[in-house]
Structures are given as structure tokens and as C-alpha cells.
Amino acid sequence: MAATWFLKLPKPQQLLCKNTLGLFIFKRGLADKSWFQSLFVHKVDPRKDAHSNLLSKKETSNLYKIQFHNVKPEYLDAYNNLSAEVQNRLHCDKDYPCEIVGSWNTWYGEQDQAVHLWRYSGGYPALTECLNKLWQDKEYLEFRKERSKMLISRRNQLLLEFSFWNEPLSRAGPNIYELRTYKLKPGTMIEWGNHWARAIQKRQENQEAVGGFFTQIGDLYVVHHLWAYKDLQSREETRNAAWQKPGWDENVYYTVPLIRSMESRIMIPLKNSPLQ
């Protein structure tokens, strides 16, 4: 009956009805599609603050700098001696608001590499004060000139420490150190922190946890976990034991998808390093 009624209409009205019906179907299809897609669209959880404020320690204003220096193989010993001399002077000079936390050579990983971790007590103002003084320090400028002859490349990053990680304090040796570096997918730092705030409690029995940091300047969304072990065998036994603790497998399951790439360095502390 509807079809007969439609055919009795003049052709202009038939065309108008066709267009109106087609537009209705099209809009209904878009609405249905939008509703269907809404089932799978990720709902963004708006953050009330930067992740640096949410994850870093509130009771301190420490800023860290990590340096990676790739040294010409024939100069590695000379570089270590020269660096130790300057580090000791700055570490003991109260006019400089900085201290060396640890200094190592990479054993497994990039070869002929030195890694230095500095702490600036007072945050960015302390860093700026230290740099301004160093540029007026003739002895330090001579050191930089001599050091440049020994290096292939160098890079650094400014870091904050996770609020739930151990404070990196001096320790007696002998130890080997592992620096595990994770490059995360952008936007996943909060989730990473939530999981590791629980997981780090499962890695304290052997006092292997030294410090945990995330980048502020340099390569972004990078996390560094620093561990200490007596030797490689102790490292293997300690890591295997973690899998026997309830919840450790869950932490690995939920954090692995957050990672874009990861790297492990085994490092040997230099003689002047407070972390031995």
C-alpha cells in the first residue's frame, strides 16, 4: 500500500521523498556507527598535575644528572684518573652544591664507556649555580679541554627520583651494578609508577635496590633502575627469587606492554665512587 501511495505522487514529490528517506538512513547509520565505535574508544583519564610532581619525592628537591661518556679505548685509564681527580674536588668542595653519587665503567653493554651519576641538592637553582661557578673555574676548564681529547661522544640526562624507590646512598663493596634502562610509550609513566610502587617492595631482601629515576630533560619517558649485586651469580639468583614472590609476575605482565625498548648495562664502580 505504501508503494502504491508513493507511485501516485507527482515525480517532484517522489524525488523529495527519496532524498529525505536517504538522508534519514544516512544519519541513522552514522549514529549507529558512532555508538558502536564508542564501545572501543579509550576514555582519557585527565591528570590534575604533571607526572614529575605526582611521582617524585616531595620531601627533597634533589635533581640528578646522569652522564654517558664513550671513551677512546687507548685513553680509558687516563680518563678514569683525570675524572676521579676532578670529581673528588667538586664532591668535597662545599661551595659547589653537587656531589658524585656513583661512577662506573661499563663491563657488559657499550664498551669503553664511563657512567657518572650526580646529585644536585636544591634542584634546578643548585644546578645553575654549579654550572655558573664551573665556567669561572680555570682548573675545570683545563680539565674539559684535556678530556675532550679522550672522548668519542658524550650525552647526559636530567633526572628525578621516584618517590617509592630507595635513596641512592654510599655502600661498601665489592659489588657490580646493573643499570636497567626502559624507554616507555609516551603517556604511560603514571601507570608504570603505580605498578612499581608495589613491585619494589618485593626486591628489598638482598638490598639490591639502589635507586630509581625518570628523565626530565634529554630523552623523555626514560626510566633508569639501578641495582647492586655481589656478582653475576648473585644477580641471577636474586632475580629468579623474585618470581617466587606473589605479585611479581603480575607486575611484569602489566608493565611489559608499556615499554618501547629496554637495555641492561653491567657496570664496575671506579675507585672514587661512593657506590662500591
Side-chain angles (χ1 to χ4, degrees):
M1 182 179 293
T4 303
W5 170 82
F6 179 79
L7 292 174
K8 289 181 179 180
L9 291 174
K11 286 188 176 180
Q13 292 182 351
Q14 290 182 17
L15 181 61
L16 178 61
C17 286
K18 284 182 179 180
N19 291 341
T20 303
L21 181 61
L23 181 61
F24 172 78
I25 294 172
F26 176 74
K27 288 184 174 179
R28 181 60 183 270
L30 286 180
D32 289 343
K33 184 179 180 182
S34 176
W35 172 85
F36 181 75
Q37 286 181 336
S38 70
L39 297 177
F40 301 96
V41 172
H42 175 66
K43 300 297 189 300
V44 176
D45 179 20
R47 299 300 176 190
K48 302 301 183 183
D49 206 347
H51 70 245
S52 58
N53 293 330
L54 296 172
L55 294 173
S56 60
K57 293 184 177 179
K58 298 293 188 298
E59 65 274 14
T60 66
S61 57
N62 291 333
L63 180 70
Y64 291 82
K65 178 174 71 176
I66 192 167
Q67 298 174 306
F68 300 94
H69 291 176
N70 293 316
V71 185
K72 297 176 182 178
E74 64 272 22
Y75 284 114
L76 186 59
D77 288 339
Y79 167 88
N80 288 339
N81 292 332
L82 184 63
S83 294
E85 181 181 338
V86 175
Q87 288 173 3
N88 288 337
R89 184 170 71 87
L90 295 178
H91 186 78
C92 298
D93 193 334
K94 294 183 179 180
D95 289 335
Y96 287 92
C98 65
E99 57 183 321
I100 188 71
V101 177
S103 195
W104 305 268
N105 283 151
T106 301
W107 186 22
Y108 290 104
E110 290 192 58
Q111 298 295 283
D112 304 307
Q113 184 182 71
V115 180
H116 310 294
L117 182 63
W118 294 85
R119 180 191 292 121
Y120 296 88
S121 301
Y124 289 109
L127 173 66
T128 301
E129 179 186 350
C130 192
L131 292 178
N132 288 338
K133 289 181 177 180
L134 286 175
W135 285 115
Q136 304 300 320
D137 189 325
K138 292 183 179 180
E139 186 176 343
Y140 178 76
L141 296 178
E142 286 297 319
F143 156 72
R144 283 176 58 90
K145 186 183 298 184
E146 187 65 24
R147 185 187 64 182
S148 67
K149 303 173 185 176
M150 305 176 181
L151 296 180
I152 298 173
S153 65
R154 60 192 178 98
R155 61 186 176 92
N156 58 25
Q157 299 167 349
L158 293 182
L159 317 171
L160 293 177
E161 55 186 328
F162 283 111
S163 60
F164 48 84
W165 261 81
N166 306 43
E167 182 79 17
L169 302 175
S170 302
R171 64 172 64 196
N175 295 292
I176 62 170
Y177 289 81
E178 181 177 19
L179 183 66
R180 295 180 70 86
T181 299
Y182 304 89
K183 294 184 178 180
L184 304 185
K185 298 175 183 177
T188 61
M189 188 66 74
I190 296 292
E191 188 176 354
W192 177 275
N194 288 338
H195 288 298
W196 268 97
R198 295 186 294 270
I200 191 61
Q201 303 304 320
K202 306 179 189 303
R203 296 292 306 273
Q204 299 289 346
E205 288 183 4
N206 296 324
Q207 299 182 335
E208 69 266 26
V210 178
F213 313 90
F214 58 97
T215 55
Q216 283 290 280
I217 296 179
D219 295 331
L220 297 179
Y221 284 97
V222 175
V223 170
H224 298 292
H225 289 177
L226 184 60
W227 308 91
Y229 305 100
K230 292 302 180 184
D231 50 38
L232 289 175
Q233 182 62 33
S234 172
R235 171 187 176 271
E236 182 179 13
E237 293 170 355
T238 300
R239 287 174 55 81
N240 287 341
W243 286 95
Q244 309 306 316
K245 298 176 182 178
W248 180 255
D249 56 342
E250 182 179 342
N251 174 65
V252 174
Y253 177 82
Y254 284 112
T255 56
V256 165
L258 311 180
I259 301 170
R260 299 178 68 177
S261 65
M262 55 191 296
E263 181 181 7
S264 170
R265 287 179 177 82
I266 301 298
M267 308 183 301
I268 303 297
L270 300 180
K271 293 180 179 179
N272 65 299
S273 176
L275 287 170
Q276 286 293 314

